[in-house]
Amino acid sequence: MFFPRIRSKTVLISLTISIVLTVLSVILIIRVFPDLIKNEIFKNVRLIRGTEQYDRFLEIPFPVSFKVFVFNVENPNEIISGQKPVVKEIGPFVYKLHWTKLVHGTNEDDDTISYIDQQIYEFDSEASGNLSDTNYVTVANPVMLGILQLSEKFGQAHTVSNCLTDILDNINTLFINVKVKDLLFDGLKFCPRHLSLCELPKNIVCKMAAQKKNMDKLEDDSLQFSFFNYKNKSHETLYTITRGIKDVLTLGQTVTIDNSPYTQFWNKLHKNSTCDLVKGSYISLYPPQISEESTFKIYSTDVCRSVEINFLKEKYYKGIKGYMFAPNNSSLRSKFANKVEDCFCAEQTLGTHGENTCFLDGVLDMQPCSGAPALLSFPHFLWADKIYLDGVNGLSPNEAIHKTYLLVEPETGTPLEGRTRMQINFILRPIEHIKFMQSLPRVVLPVLWVEEGVNLTDEYVTKLQESFFDTVKIVNIVQWVLLAGSLILTIAFGVYFFRKQFSDQP
């Protein structure tokens, strides 16, 4: 016979034990092992001093890529005569961003950590290929446009225009041919210290300009404008985010900025508006257990607001399944039928006809944030109103290369890949009583767009696989071996028991 002769009582006990083992295996598979894995994940992602997660939070262990694409103006003289601008994208000019944080303290009761960001940008000549930051580009003069458009609001544009030579010194033209590094970081010098007949208007303009985010005051009391050098300086802004120790699903949520749950950038309608509410995830810290229904708000101090991103699709990154989240074509659109009811409608930068405006879909007035009459959009006016794209030749919006997105591993919340892409624009239009601007076309002119990107390196892909996926594989093998073994025993003892019962019957 196939089965050895065993007493029925022994077989029954063995069958009972095997059934119990099967039930226990099922419980282990359904509840115990998933909870063990989940608890291990939760332990590893919380911001606890002395852990790898905490160390990565203090200093991103690999450089973040910061790419700049400049729109070179191909026909500056024709634009001054009234023709449509023609631009040509040049780039990327690639920089390595070294990102660290200086912790100012933790709050055990609130489960928060407070810190100051510190960033250093270093030009990456290898990644930039044939391009150098000493290359020259022709762009609209951001200092001149800013000064004249701000002066216009106070009725002083004509007076200031007569003093532009004294104020702007060597950058006294509407379009300037400058080195990329001067435009981005090293700066364009103006407001030189010397006596002139324009001393009074010059002093007023220079004092006003000195308060703006993109300005540096030099030792000789002159000023220097650059788009991004403010990011290179030691920051004083204090951020407070959740550590996820008490509730891991709240990990990385921005709670306050400078000890306040509200900023005061978007307070045209009233103080502490919903637009000023500090909300959103820290840019490289996300909770575990992410689903396709998850929604994130990413808060950026560069634009002084949160941008919502939603699930887009699954995508594999170096063999790891990730969930891709991205904004959509309504992200920079007003949620109100009447746009003036939207607190993001600042009405500070005047429109192409010199009017107070909320601007059309896809363009945001950044003057409340930067202090300068600049506009924000996605690159190449992606998802913006067609009128902006039609106003300039040389643009070609493409979701594949121009949209912002985030790819995260859903179980651990680990960012696998991400790109933040934004474009800076200026209004180009005639200003009354300024002769050289009278024939200008009325357009929103793109100056440059940036891509801040990160890719999880092979080293950290391996660490993620070893710390999570390899563990999951081992647990899966163990649980299915247990289940298979207990089922085989149950079937074997069950078959033997019932055969013996039938064979013992008379």
Side-chain angles (χ1 to χ4, degrees), residues 147 150 167 190-191 199-212 215 217 221-223:
I147 286 175
L150 288 174
I167 296 171
F190 68 107
C191 283
E199 197 64 19
L200 180 59
K202 185 177 109 174
N203 283 340
I204 294 173
V205 167
C206 294
K207 284 183 180 179
M208 177 178 64
Q211 307 303 314
K212 307 306 180 185
M215 299 297 175
K217 192 168 185 177
D221 285 337
S222 63
L223 298 179

Side-chain angles (χ1 to χ4, degrees), residues 281 286 293-298 306-312 324-328 331 404-408:
S281 300
Y286 301 92
E293 285 70 43
S294 298
T295 296
F296 295 107
K297 291 183 181 292
I298 311 298
S306 299
V307 176
E308 183 175 291
I309 57 175
N310 300 285
F311 177 81
L312 183 64
M324 179 179 284
F325 290 81
N328 55 43
S331 296
T404 291
Y405 69 89
L406 167 72
L407 185 68
V408 292

Side-chain angles (χ1 to χ4, degrees), residues 281-293:
S281 300
Y282 172 70
I283 198 166
S284 65
L285 206 59
Y286 301 92
Q289 305 294 296
I290 294 170
S291 71
E292 295 181 8
E293 285 70 43

Side-chain angles (χ1 to χ4, degrees), residues 68-270:
V68 182
F69 301 79
V70 179
F71 291 106
N72 189 75
V73 176
E74 301 286 289
N75 61 335
N77 294 327
E78 289 78 4
I79 294 173
I80 293 173
S81 299
Q83 294 187 26
K84 181 190 287 192
V86 177
V87 297
K88 179 181 179 181
E89 180 183 288
I90 301 177
F93 299 92
V94 185
Y95 293 79
K96 293 178 182 177
L97 167 55
H98 303 275
W99 203 333
T100 60
K101 298 169 191 67
L102 180 62
V103 173
H104 273 231
T106 57
N107 186 314
E108 300 294 334
D109 295 332
D110 294 339
D111 191 22
T112 58
I113 184 169
S114 299
Y115 65 92
I116 287 175
D117 259 338
Q118 295 179 315
Q119 299 176 3
I120 298 175
Y121 290 79
E122 173 191 2
F123 185 70
D124 188 341
S125 56
E126 182 179 350
S128 299
N130 296 327
L131 296 174
S132 167
D133 61 350
T134 59
N135 284 41
Y136 280 84
V137 290
T138 299
V139 295
N141 188 335
V143 181
M144 177 183 283
L145 289 175
I147 286 175
L148 290 177
Q149 290 179 14
L150 288 174
S151 300
E152 181 188 28
K153 298 185 72 173
F154 301 104
Q156 298 298 317
H158 179 60
T159 302
V160 170
S161 70
N162 291 328
C163 298
L164 286 177
T165 300
D166 282 332
I167 296 171
L168 298 179
D169 201 21
N170 294 324
I171 53 171
N172 183 26
T173 55
L174 184 57
F175 292 95
I176 52 176
N177 190 243
V178 294
K179 290 180 181 179
V180 169
K181 67 176 184 177
D182 292 337
L183 186 68
L184 304 184
F185 290 101
D186 288 2
L188 306 172
K189 188 175 179 180
F190 68 107
C191 283
R193 181 81 178 265
H194 59 71
L195 294 176
S196 71
L197 294 175
C198 287
E199 197 64 19
L200 180 59
K202 185 177 109 174
N203 283 340
I204 294 173
V205 167
C206 294
K207 284 183 180 179
M208 177 178 64
Q211 307 303 314
K212 307 306 180 185
K213 182 166 71 172
N214 298 82
M215 299 297 175
D216 292 312
K217 192 168 185 177
L218 305 181
E219 292 182 358
D220 62 1
D221 285 337
S222 63
L223 298 179
Q224 196 164 262
F225 167 88
S226 65
F227 277 105
F228 302 121
N229 194 50
Y230 75 93
K231 297 162 78 66
N232 245 338
K233 293 182 261 185
S234 294
H235 294 288
E236 297 180 355
T237 303
L238 185 69
Y239 303 91
T240 301
I241 67 170
T242 50
R243 300 181 299 169
I245 295 175
K246 290 184 177 179
D247 181 0
V248 72
L249 298 182
T250 66
L251 174 69
Q253 290 296 303
T254 305
V255 177
T256 63
I257 294 178
D258 287 332
N259 297 314
S260 173
Y262 290 91
T263 63
Q264 295 302 323
F265 298 110
W266 311 101
N267 54 11
K268 181 192 76 170
L269 299 177
H270 56 80

